[in-house]
Amino acid sequence: MASVEQILDHILDRAVVEGYLTPVAASEGLAHSAGFLGFQELDLPGPPILDGALAVDLGTGGGLPGLVLAVKTPWRWLLVDRKDRRVVFLRWAVRQLGIEERVQVVLSDAADVGRGGFRVMASLVTARGFAPPGSTAECAAPLLAEHGVLVVSEPPAKSTVRWPEAGLCSLGLRDVGGWASDDVPGPANYRAMVRVEPCPDRFPRRFHRQVADPLF
């Protein structure tokens, strides 16, 4: 019988064939996705995330990081993508892994998810290459419960401030720091934000408004 890691490798290889991942992203996928869990080593407000809590991955695409994290954690996962073909692929992958009972794949724009029944329900939101920082934060913040955490993957360190304090504050978020994983060439970089205040009802705006008038 194939191991979970072997099944994941097969799924990621299939994602490359379908054009959802590059070969490099697939080969580094397991290690890069595991790096998102580094937020648990930070000094965060609130209790640890409990088993069965809701986590949301925005723009899951070929399965990274949401599909991998769903296997590695005891949480319920909502995998969000707005492309029909990718959603069909992800639902197939969830069945291959046998995790249908706690993983739901949703065909939707992330802004619509943030205005629906999952608003303020998530203990964790993850995003890997989902959108520019302003849109990523705006789509994630409404989903977060009190002390919920947004974790993003970051490009190589730059001098520019990608997550300005004022912009995060307008969404009820606070930057709590970044970290790197040496398990991925580069190394891979990550950052976490915590919900410290309720996100105003006007967010998230429609995606075209976020693009035309970004918060930051």
Side-chain angles (χ1 to χ4, degrees):
M1 180 180 294
S3 67
V4 171
E5 288 75 15
Q6 288 172 326
I7 296 172
L8 279 171
D9 283 338
H10 171 66
I11 289 169
L12 298 182
D13 287 344
R14 174 77 174 270
V16 173
V17 173
E18 296 292 338
Y20 305 141
L21 295 175
T22 66
V24 171
S27 67
E28 299 176 354
L30 299 186
H32 187 276
S33 297
F36 278 77
L37 298 176
F39 78 92
Q40 296 172 306
E41 304 301 320
L42 300 177
D43 183 16
L44 301 174
I49 299 178
L50 300 176
D51 291 2
L54 178 67
V56 180
D57 185 43
L58 300 178
T60 306
L64 304 177
L67 198 62
V68 177
L69 292 177
V71 170
K72 289 182 173 290
T73 64
W75 309 320
R76 294 180 297 119
W77 279 86
L78 185 72
L79 310 183
V80 180
D81 206 283
R82 61 179 179 176
K83 296 293 187 181
D84 183 74
R85 286 185 63 243
R86 291 198 292 248
V87 166
V88 170
F89 169 80
L90 289 169
R91 288 173 177 163
W92 165 81
V94 167
R95 291 193 301 272
Q96 295 299 303
L97 290 163
I99 52 176
E100 301 98 318
E101 290 187 1
R102 60 183 183 85
V103 179
Q104 180 180 355
V105 181
V106 174
L107 175 63
S108 178
D109 187 288
D112 292 333
V113 176
R115 289 197 168 277
F118 293 102
R119 190 179 181 94
V120 304
M121 297 296 291
S123 297
L124 173 68
V125 175
T126 56
R128 177 186 185 274
F130 167 70
S135 288
T136 298
E138 184 170 343
C139 288
L143 293 166
L144 291 171
E146 184 179 10
H147 297 149
V149 184
L150 165 63
V151 180
V152 300
S153 58
E154 288 278 76
K158 296 181 179 180
S159 59
T160 56
V161 177
R162 285 169 45 85
W163 306 95
E165 182 178 357
L168 292 176
C169 184
S170 70
L171 295 167
L173 299 176
R174 175 165 58 85
D175 188 338
V176 289
W179 64 96
S181 171
D182 293 328
D183 293 335
V184 183
N189 297 292
Y190 309 84
R191 195 150 207 93
M193 278 70 68
V194 172
R195 202 207 90 171
V196 292
E197 297 289 343
C199 180
D201 290 342
R202 67 179 181 276
F203 298 118
R205 299 169 296 167
R206 296 296 182 188
F207 199 71
H208 72 273
R209 285 295 311 279
Q210 296 179 28
V211 173
D213 184 23
L215 290 178
F216 50 87

